[in-house]
Amino acid sequence: MTAHDEIRHHVRLYLMVFGALLVLTVITVAVAELHLRIGAAVTVALLIAAIKGSLVALFFMHLKWDWKYRTVHSVLLLTAVFFLFLLALPTLTERAQIGEVIHHPRPAAAAPAH
Amino acid sequence: MQIPYTVEVRPDTGLNNPKIGIWLFLASEVMLFGALFSSYVLLRIGAPEWPHGSDVLSIPLGLVNTVILIASSVTMVMAWASLKMRAFGRFRLYLGLTVLLALVFLVNKGFEYAEHFHKGEVPATSVYFAIYYTLTGLHGLHVLGGVIVNSYLLLTSPGWWRRAGEQLTNRVEVAGLYWHFVDLVWIFLFPVLYLL
């Protein structure tokens, strides 16, 4: 398969991925209309978003074919691991405070200070 | 030692310099948007009340914008594929479409913001709007940055293609990686802000 044929084969893949992304977008909105419980809604929405993101990363960003030396993947994997740790940090250190109201709407009329 | 201004593939990493550079940049961008997403999560958990996205934002407009950005990602990768196949005319068409779609996205966002301002909904209105404007505003700036880079590539491409075609192809590929990332962020922003 010449380089030219390879690219043309890829072009067909790009269009199929485009179709898949459109379908998944419609599914995302349709699921939102179901008004699931917040826990289920977040899980499903993020799951679909993760699938869409993976399609963009693997095919449009060419990661599926850049696997050879694993450089890009190692960088990304490290980033993901460090980010997950950052995300977990407030949860791990402030567990007692989670769920406590941290901001209140401003009072309508401010009482005079003195 | 000289950093080669080159598109040659390094034998140890299997990548060329611009590619590894852009991926490192994207990794830092992941930290940036990731930090804001985490802020959203913590602010929402700690809030006494939080509006449902559909009550405050227009889902149809958000959906249209999502389709527009996904389409622009497709035209961007087609632009690069056209260059690889040495179809210069088609490359310009696809890159032009990418810029056009991005501008339509920004115009839509402008209408959306205008609608909110008209209703008196500004960043100071509530924590929800504060994080909404921050997330979408920063994303919008990234879209604008992409428009500028892609426009530059589009405008300088004729001479560039004649002088150093390989290099232009590589730069378009790298700009494409940035653009796909911008699309990726929106793929997560849309459900989080509009649907949940």
Side-chain angles (χ1 to χ4, degrees), chain B residues 21-32:
Chain B
I22 198 79
W23 272 114
L24 283 175
F25 172 61
L26 293 183
S28 77
E29 291 274 80
V30 166
M31 305 312 277
L32 173 61

Side-chain angles (χ1 to χ4, degrees), chain A residues 7-36:
Chain A
I7 302 284
R8 203 168 280 147
H9 170 71
H10 285 189
V11 165
R12 238 180 307 131
L13 267 174
Y14 297 150
L15 293 174
M16 291 200 301
V17 170
F18 182 36
L21 286 170
L22 288 178
V23 168
L24 286 168
T25 307
V26 170
I27 291 178
T28 314
V29 176
V31 167
E33 293 298 313
L34 294 176
H35 291 295
L36 302 168

Side-chain angles (χ1 to χ4, degrees), chain A residues 7 11 14 18 21 25 28-29 38 41 49 60-63 66 69 71-72 76 79 83 86-87 100-103, chain B residues 11-15 19 23 26-27 31 34 38 44 46-48 63 70 74 77-78 80 85 127 177 180 195-196:
Chain A
I7 302 284
V11 165
Y14 297 150
F18 182 36
L21 286 170
T25 307
T28 314
V29 176
I38 188 70
F60 291 167
M61 295 172 102
H62 230 249
L63 283 180
D66 278 345
Y69 293 81
T71 316
V72 174
L76 287 178
T79 309
F83 172 65
L86 265 181
L87 190 62
E100 236 177 76
V101 171
I102 59 176
H103 51 81
Chain B
D12 49 2
T13 61
L15 295 170
K19 208 168 199 184
W23 272 114
L26 293 183
M31 305 312 277
S38 324
R44 182 165 181 170
L63 182 61
I70 293 178
V74 179
V77 79
M78 294 296 279
W80 171 71
M85 293 196 277
V127 178
L177 285 174
H180 297 311
L195 303 176
L196 290 176

Side-chain angles (χ1 to χ4, degrees), chain B residues 164-182:
Chain B
E166 278 288 313
Q167 199 193 52
L168 174 64
T169 312
N170 178 266
R171 299 313 189 242
V172 168
E173 180 183 13
V174 154
L177 285 174
Y178 171 79
W179 191 248
H180 297 311
F181 175 77
V182 168

